[in-house]
Amino acid sequence: MLAVMTTGCASTQRIPGVVQGTEGAPLSSIPGPMPAFGPFDTFSDALQAACPLILGKPHATAGRATEQNFQLRWRLSREYCAWLYYTPDRKFEMSMLAAGPLHDESRKRTCDLPSTVNDPRYAPGSLGYVFVLHNHPYDNVLSDLDIRFIVAMAAEHGVTVKTQGGLVPLSIVAFFSLSSSLENPPCDGFFQYIPATGELLRWLRDDNAWGRQVIGRVEWLDDTRYRIVRE
């Protein structure tokens, strides 16, 4: 679950690759690029590299909801989020990660991702915003906040990004692991919502290949209300 933040401040780094705003003053933009990540020629290669990186952060996964110790793992879990963006050099890069607070409200996890990336190598406004990336501590669908956040980002940045390989639709992605291991959990899949098409997708890894399942479509009834039509 994500929420947009627009006020500025200096950031502090507590975990490698992770930035946070100071108390009461959230980030105005997220720094980029992520050290030792990319650049990548294709967004699919970038996604495959981003998934284990994000899931490998402390308490990014809680394992299976059916496991005996899941509730404890859930209480300790944390959400991380980042932008995957397209540069004037025709490469895909990932921003640093914004981290959600520890011990958040018991029923959800959030992270406050700014709407823009500050990559000092490029002029403001020259980046293409492709994917909002974040983790879900377990295999659960995208939330109402996820859906509304990426729709707001589409209104700000556009529903597609022009790349060397063609138009890429802006979307939000939530990685998850099905493993009970908290150390180096495998990337088993991700959920995706694409505002341009309304598709809600679930991707699962099977023998090193990715299988795509359409689980529903988001139909907007007006500017504020929508319904999900399940497949």
Side-chain angles (χ1 to χ4, degrees):
M1 301 176 186
L2 296 109
V4 64
M5 288 302 208
T6 56
T7 10
C9 80
S11 63
T12 58
Q13 186 167 340
R14 300 178 178 89
I15 303 168
V18 177
V19 294
Q20 289 181 285
T22 56
E23 185 176 353
L27 297 166
S28 60
S29 62
I30 190 80
M34 173 69 71
F37 180 90
F40 293 92
D41 292 326
T42 68
F43 67 79
S44 58
D45 286 343
L47 280 175
Q48 291 190 58
C51 187
L53 186 153
I54 294 175
L55 290 178
K57 294 302 178 185
H59 304 294
T61 181
R64 294 177 179 269
T66 55
E67 292 178 342
Q68 185 176 3
N69 57 354
F70 174 77
Q71 291 302 321
L72 173 60
R73 290 181 171 189
W74 168 252
R75 287 196 298 271
L76 296 173
S77 67
R78 198 171 190 184
E79 192 169 282
Y80 303 88
C81 49
W83 276 105
L84 187 71
Y85 58 99
Y86 188 68
T87 73
D89 292 329
R90 300 179 179 179
K91 301 291 185 180
F92 292 91
E93 298 267 20
M94 188 173 71
S95 73
M96 302 284 275
L97 292 163
L102 292 170
H103 309 298
D104 196 2
E105 196 273 330
S106 61
R107 292 171 297 174
K108 63 183 180 180
R109 293 292 177 267
T110 63
C111 56
D112 296 325
L113 181 66
S115 63
T116 57
V117 175
N118 178 18
D119 188 327
R121 301 171 299 172
Y122 306 107
S126 66
L127 303 178
Y129 293 84
V130 185
F131 297 131
V132 169
L133 307 177
H134 69 300
N135 63 296
H136 275 186
Y138 69 102
D139 175 14
N140 63 325
V141 296
L142 292 169
S143 69
D144 176 69
L145 285 177
D146 291 334
I147 290 171
R148 293 184 184 277
F149 180 82
I150 198 61
V151 168
M153 294 301 95
E156 180 169 346
H157 298 300
V159 296
T160 58
V161 178
K162 186 177 181 181
T163 73
Q164 187 177 22
L167 291 178
V168 179
L170 173 77
S171 65
I172 188 168
V173 165
F175 299 119
F176 62 86
S177 178
L178 299 174
S179 173
S180 59
S181 172
L182 300 184
E183 295 185 6
N184 301 315
C187 178
D188 292 312
F190 60 89
F191 291 94
Q192 182 180 21
Y193 169 52
I194 307 172
T197 64
E199 290 178 305
L200 279 169
L201 306 173
R202 185 173 186 256
W203 296 80
L204 284 175
R205 186 192 295 274
D206 184 18
D207 296 330
N208 294 320
W210 287 98
R212 176 182 183 270
Q213 176 190 10
V214 180
I215 58 176
R217 283 179 169 79
V218 176
E219 293 184 356
W220 286 90
L221 306 176
D222 53 38
D223 290 342
T224 60
R225 298 181 302 136
Y226 67 86
R227 65 179 181 180
I228 295 177
V229 179
R230 300 292 179 181
E231 293 291 311

